[in-house]
Amino acid sequence: MNKADFPILNETVHGRPLVYLDNAATSQKPQQVLDAIVEAYSRWNSNIHRGVHHLSQVATSKHEGARQAVADFINARSADEIVFTKGTTDSLNALAFSFGEAFIHEGDEIIVSGLEHHSNIVPWQMLCERKKAVLRHIPLREDLSLNLEAFKGLLSEKTKLVSVAHVSNVLGTIQPVEEIIRLAHARKIPVCIDGAQSVPHMRVDVQALDCDFLVFSGHKMYAPTGIGVLYGKREWLEQIPPHEGGGEMIDHVRWSGTTYNELPYKFEAGTPNFVGSYALHKAIEYIESIGWEAIEAHERELTEYCEKRLRELEGVNVYGAGHKKAGVISFNIAAIHPFDVGTLLDQQGVAVRTGHHCAEPLIDTMGVPGTVRVSFGLYNDKEDVDAFIEALQRAQRMLT
Ligand code: 7TS
């Protein structure tokens, strides 16, 4: 695919050409997105929503254009259902606070899964502590898939929200969110989908999924850091209070009290990241110029090829093998610490991630000190996989 669009991929690391396989942590940015940032600051930088002057109106229309582009991208009914945040973590904290204020009381229960990123655990733990509520989790089966029978048993009249990852950031496995949403909705329980690892790799349609909330980060989908999205169905967003106070989120401020702005501004206190939203819009255009069909087919082929080559190696254990994955593979080499593998790969210019990947409860369940994780973006190719496998074999020879 279009490696030439990504200038950083021409860099060398320790004298070797960079092989970047840490896309689940953050993706690289195409020239089109880099140009958008320069364009914004060099041509129309100005604070939005408040100005009558020309530049402010241009900046406002770029920000609101981006909101519409995000709505179209995930097929939201309306741009009013798109709240710009700093990223997935920020979206989840906002939701935990706001939803918690409106709907969580002592003894209520929230359900996450046993394979969540800490960002989809800790905000709920903090909420539960504040409200004396209880956080439950869907246990995993032996093969690290979610135990949906157990999930059915967890659902009760106490359950007020379910929040689960669409794709595991450790295993890459695609979770049965359709079934989870169906089971929860049968009891009128809303569901939040953590799309941090799915939205960059597959078409996510919030109306087809019928999820109540979807959260994701721009920086994992070729946009800059500091911009993300909280999608919520209008009927939910209207019922929950703002999580932050300040400018823009108000209707009127009086000493006697404040009334709040309409959706989505109620949730966007302060000067928003309008350069980030514009760059996210450009990243969406970039993805759409290639097309989901081509991206999904390319990444699927790459993931399958890499997993096959890994499993041919002596002593390599691939986790969640055989399950449908979205661009992420975790593995270990028998008796070798993942950190040592990562360090030796780095010395050969290959960037992978090692450790618990901010999902300690899952890593504990797996009973390992961590994993080595390779994760793909649309610009990776078979040569990257071959270079990685070759470097891995060299590392293996040095460590055994
Ligand atoms: N949820 C999932 C499933 C994630 O993978 C991540 C980030 C987050 C939430 C938090 O996203 P952020 O943009 O707010 O940081 N995952 C990773 C990772 O796997 N390695 O580094 C960050």
Side-chain angles (χ1 to χ4, degrees), residues 62-263:
K62 302 281 189 198
H63 188 61
E64 294 310 321
R67 196 188 305 280
Q68 185 61 53
V70 171
D72 295 342
F73 184 64
I74 60 169
N75 194 29
R77 279 174 202 84
S78 153
D80 297 349
E81 297 179 317
I82 305 300
V83 176
F84 283 120
T85 65
K86 289 186 283 191
T88 307
T89 304
D90 192 36
S91 299
L92 286 166
N93 276 280
L95 182 63
F97 183 87
S98 297
F99 189 88
E101 284 305 291
F103 292 112
I104 302 297
H105 303 99
E106 186 168 346
D108 286 344
E109 297 184 358
I110 295 162
I111 301 177
V112 297
S113 89
L115 48 68
E116 299 305 319
H117 187 280
H118 296 161
S119 293
N120 197 27
I121 299 175
V122 184
W124 305 117
Q125 284 180 327
M126 291 162 76
L127 167 62
C128 287
E129 205 162 299
R130 225 171 54 239
K131 297 281 182 173
K132 298 193 176 61
V134 180
L135 184 64
R136 304 218 175 269
H137 66 271
I138 310 170
L140 303 180
R141 296 197 193 90
E142 196 72 11
D143 68 353
L144 302 177
S145 64
L146 295 187
N147 185 336
L148 290 189
E149 281 310 308
F151 175 57
K152 286 182 205 165
L154 287 176
L155 289 168
S156 77
E157 68 285 351
K158 288 186 194 159
T159 314
K160 292 297 182 296
L161 182 78
V162 176
S163 187
V164 290
H166 198 172
V167 168
S168 160
N169 71 310
V170 176
L171 305 168
T173 44
I174 301 170
Q175 302 306 316
V177 290
E178 293 85 355
E179 181 70 358
I180 288 171
I181 291 167
R182 197 182 61 74
L183 289 167
H185 280 183
R187 288 173 165 270
K188 301 202 169 7
I189 301 163
V191 180
C192 170
I193 299 297
D194 176 351
Q197 300 293 348
S198 60
V199 174
H201 299 286
M202 60 179 78
R203 186 188 297 285
V204 176
D205 178 330
V206 291
Q207 291 192 64
L209 274 179
D210 198 26
C211 58
D212 301 277
F213 302 99
L214 172 76
V215 294
F216 56 97
S217 298
H219 72 94
K220 294 183 198 286
M221 50 180 288
Y222 315 110
T225 49
I227 187 78
V229 172
L230 164 61
Y231 156 82
K233 280 183 185 166
R234 178 192 290 278
E235 55 264 40
W236 285 112
L237 292 182
E238 277 176 347
Q239 289 183 72
I240 64 179
H243 60 299
E244 286 178 337
E248 198 56 39
M249 50 73 73
I250 55 98
D251 173 27
H252 287 292
V253 179
R254 302 281 182 269
W255 290 122
S256 54
T258 290
T259 49
Y260 302 136
N261 205 339
E262 60 191 15
L263 288 181

Side-chain angles (χ1 to χ4, degrees), residues 15-37:
R16 303 289 191 93
L18 168 64
V19 177
Y20 187 77
L21 297 174
D22 192 19
N23 293 281
T26 199
S27 64
Q28 301 304 347
K29 323 302 172 199
Q31 192 63 52
Q32 290 84 336
V33 168
L34 303 176
D35 287 346
I37 299 168

